[in-house]
């Protein structure tokens, strides 16, 4: 309903009102994502699921909901914005969010994340590139990505059942009774849906008026906005001394962005786009993922210096994307 109302009137809105809608969308996404994350983590703790598993599954799915709703909203008429949001969110998660978290507190990473999930993320990123290289994401390719998503979730659930964990002393600031946690999750999901509608419609109209293409706006404003829940979750985890939860959230969110969100959106409707239009963005996401593997394998830690490197890589990418947007140099 809200999306339909915005679509009917957004073209006639005053620029100041458009900016206010965009900011309101960002606030709704950030607030909704944090509420959803807090509720989901509380439920997982009540069920005695190990923090790394929580980060890879529940928190990742929760904080990926803005990307999911935004991508589905944009997929119908703005495939460039949809794919740009997926890749831009992965770039922002690894370069910006993980970089900022490591600057706050060096992150200790468990061997499991290094040996399994990060290499798996590289493989999925490569597969995603193969799929979009031809003509964007076709519906059958989206179905393949969804099948991999299901297989991955089954694998994670089986691992969680095999491992025992005591939640005592873990994340006390977000422990809630299960019923209250469910209410928080539902409220967060509602805010995410509203925020996604506001953000997509207002940002696309602002982009049109500024002469900016869909891909660029998806990579910057929308990608950063939909990554705010990951930032909130990482800051909460870092403050609680749970570096695994933060790292697991980032890796898991990136996986679900490619598999669940990219697969789900393209399974509903193909996302046609020329690879040349999004090649820089794709290779930036792949490079940051490979760099992350090198960092954590070198010392099982993301140090403050390495966090600064991630931030510098992210800012370099934004600079190159800006140059690409306004010139023919790239």
């Amino acid at each position: 309903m809200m999306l339909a109302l915005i679509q009917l009137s957004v073209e006639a809105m005053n620029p100041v009102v458009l900016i206010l809608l965009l900011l309101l969308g960002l606030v709704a996404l950030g607030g909704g994502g944090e509420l959803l994350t807090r509720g989901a983590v509380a439920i997982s703790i009540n069920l005695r699921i190990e923090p790394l598993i929580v980060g890879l599954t529940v928190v990742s799915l929760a904080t990926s909901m803005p990307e999911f709703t935004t991508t589905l909203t944009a997929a119908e008429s703005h495939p460039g914005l949809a794919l740009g949001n997926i890749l831009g969110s992965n770039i922002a998660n690894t370069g910006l969010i993980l970089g900022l978290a490591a600057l706050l507190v060096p992150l200790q990473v468990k061997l499991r994340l290094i040996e399994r999930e990060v290499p798996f993320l590289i493989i999925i990123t490569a597969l995603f590139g193969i799929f979009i290289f031809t003509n964007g994401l076709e519906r059958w390719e989206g179905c393949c990505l969804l099948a991999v998503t299901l297989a991955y979730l089954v694998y994670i659930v089986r691992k969680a059942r095999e491992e025992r964990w005591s939640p005592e002393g873990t994340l006390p600031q977000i422990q809630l009774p299960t019923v209250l946690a469910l209410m928080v999750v539902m409220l967060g999901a509602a805010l995410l849906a509203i925020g996604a509608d506001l953000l997509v419609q207002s940002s696309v109209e602002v982009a049109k008026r500024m002469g900016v293409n869909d891909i660029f706006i998806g990579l910057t404003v929308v990608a950063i906005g939909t990554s705010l829940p990951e930032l909130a979750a990482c800051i909460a985890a870092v403050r609680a001394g749970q570096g695994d939860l933060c790292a697991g959230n980032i890796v898991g969110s990136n996986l679900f962005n490619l598999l669940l969100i990219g697969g789900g959106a393209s399974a509903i409707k193909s996302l046609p786009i020329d690879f040349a239009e999004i090649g820089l963005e794709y290779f930036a996401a792949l490079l940051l993922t490979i760099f992350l593997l090198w960092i954590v394998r070198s010392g099982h830690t993301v140090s403050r210096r390495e966090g600064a490197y991630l931030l510098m890589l992210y800012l370099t990418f934004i600079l190159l994307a800006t140059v690409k947007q306004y010139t023919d140099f790239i």
Side-chain angles (χ1 to χ4, degrees), residues 123-140:
I123 293 171
I124 294 302
T125 305
L127 178 64
F128 194 83
I130 293 171
F131 281 167
I132 66 174
F133 180 76
T134 51
N135 187 33
L137 280 176
E138 303 289 342
R139 294 187 68 180
W140 72 268

Side-chain angles (χ1 to χ4, degrees), residues 55-282:
L56 286 168
T57 54
V58 178
V59 178
S60 298
L61 285 168
T63 57
S64 291
M65 290 310 296
E67 287 90 345
F68 185 67
T69 51
T70 301
T71 300
L72 287 182
T73 302
E76 182 66 28
S77 55
H78 302 282
L81 177 60
L83 286 176
N85 179 46
I86 291 170
L87 294 174
S89 294
N90 280 20
I91 293 167
N93 285 346
T94 307
L96 179 63
I97 308 303
L98 191 60
L100 284 174
L103 281 178
L104 290 175
V105 177
L107 305 177
Q108 297 291 329
V109 182
K110 280 191 176 179
L111 188 61
R112 170 201 169 93
L113 196 66
I114 302 168
E115 291 183 337
R116 298 177 185 173
E117 270 67 29
V118 178
F120 181 59
L121 177 58
I122 293 175
I123 293 171
I124 294 302
T125 305
L127 178 64
F128 194 83
I130 293 171
F131 281 167
I132 66 174
F133 180 76
T134 51
N135 187 33
L137 280 176
E138 303 289 342
R139 294 187 68 180
W140 72 268
E141 294 169 331
C143 291
C144 289
L145 292 174
L146 286 179
V148 176
T149 306
L150 179 60
Y152 177 69
L153 285 173
V154 170
Y155 166 77
I156 288 293
V157 170
R158 286 182 176 178
K159 283 294 180 183
R161 294 178 64 181
E162 292 173 0
E163 298 174 4
R164 299 182 121 190
W165 173 75
S166 174
E168 294 181 5
T170 302
L171 300 176
Q173 75 273 30
I174 56 177
Q175 286 187 356
L176 296 169
T178 302
V179 174
L180 180 58
L182 285 171
M183 295 174 63
V184 170
V185 166
M186 289 187 287
L187 176 59
L191 283 174
L192 290 175
I194 294 171
D197 284 351
L198 290 172
L199 184 61
V200 170
Q201 296 304 319
S202 57
S203 62
V204 167
E205 183 60 26
V206 169
K208 288 179 180 178
R209 296 186 187 187
M210 296 176 61
V212 177
N213 65 33
D214 288 345
I215 296 175
F216 184 74
I217 201 70
L219 286 164
T220 52
V221 177
V222 179
I224 294 173
T226 54
S227 292
L228 288 176
E230 280 86 353
L231 178 60
C234 276
I235 289 176
V238 166
R239 286 177 177 174
Q242 295 293 326
D244 274 340
L245 184 62
C246 175
N249 178 27
I250 295 299
V251 174
S253 293
N254 286 2
L255 278 170
F256 287 124
N257 284 345
L258 298 172
L259 292 172
L260 179 61
I261 299 172
S266 56
I268 295 172
K269 186 181 186 302
S270 297
L271 301 177
I273 192 170
D274 188 348
F275 185 79
E277 297 180 41
I278 208 165
L280 170 66
E281 294 75 17
Y282 169 74

Side-chain angles (χ1 to χ4, degrees), residues 267-310:
I268 295 172
K269 186 181 186 302
S270 297
L271 301 177
I273 192 170
D274 188 348
F275 185 79
E277 297 180 41
I278 208 165
L280 170 66
E281 294 75 17
Y282 169 74
F283 286 115
L286 180 62
L287 174 64
L288 276 169
T289 307
I290 294 173
F291 184 64
L292 175 61
L293 179 62
W294 177 79
I295 286 176
V296 294
R297 273 195 168 171
S298 64
H300 296 188
T301 302
V302 183
S303 66
R304 285 192 173 91
R305 176 182 295 180
E306 290 163 339
Y309 290 158
L310 288 171

